[in-house]
Amino acid sequence: RMMKLENYDNKTVKIILTDGAIITGYIDEWVPVEDSESGRQEITISPRETLWLAIGPYISLSEDEIKSIEVIK
């Protein structure tokens, strides 16, 4: 199923990954399928949690890694 990830661009979200991990943060960029090297939509999130920030200030996720996504305050 195609997620409408463009709806979350420039918003603060909570994402549940397919492996059950949870990440919250600000969606900095949305990459449509036609501009993606993987052939999937991708988003770049600037995470809030220290654990994720240790990985880097920005984390790229493709749509097949995302189980659910919701806008939060």
Side-chain angles (χ1 to χ4, degrees), residues 4-6 9 27-33 41-44:
K4 294 194 175 292
L5 295 179
E6 66 271 23
D9 196 19
I27 302 298
D28 189 64
E29 182 183 25
W30 167 68
V31 180
V33 172
Q41 293 182 87
E42 296 174 356
I43 54 173
T44 301

Side-chain angles (χ1 to χ4, degrees), residues 13-49:
V13 298
K14 174 183 175 183
I15 296 173
I16 301 177
L17 302 180
T18 53
D19 67 2
I22 296 172
I23 181 170
T24 58
Y26 182 78
I27 302 298
D28 189 64
E29 182 183 25
W30 167 68
V31 180
V33 172
E34 53 272 12
D35 294 339
S36 164
E37 291 180 18
S38 68
R40 297 177 187 88
Q41 293 182 87
E42 296 174 356
I43 54 173
T44 301
I45 187 168
S46 178
R48 285 182 172 174
E49 295 95 342

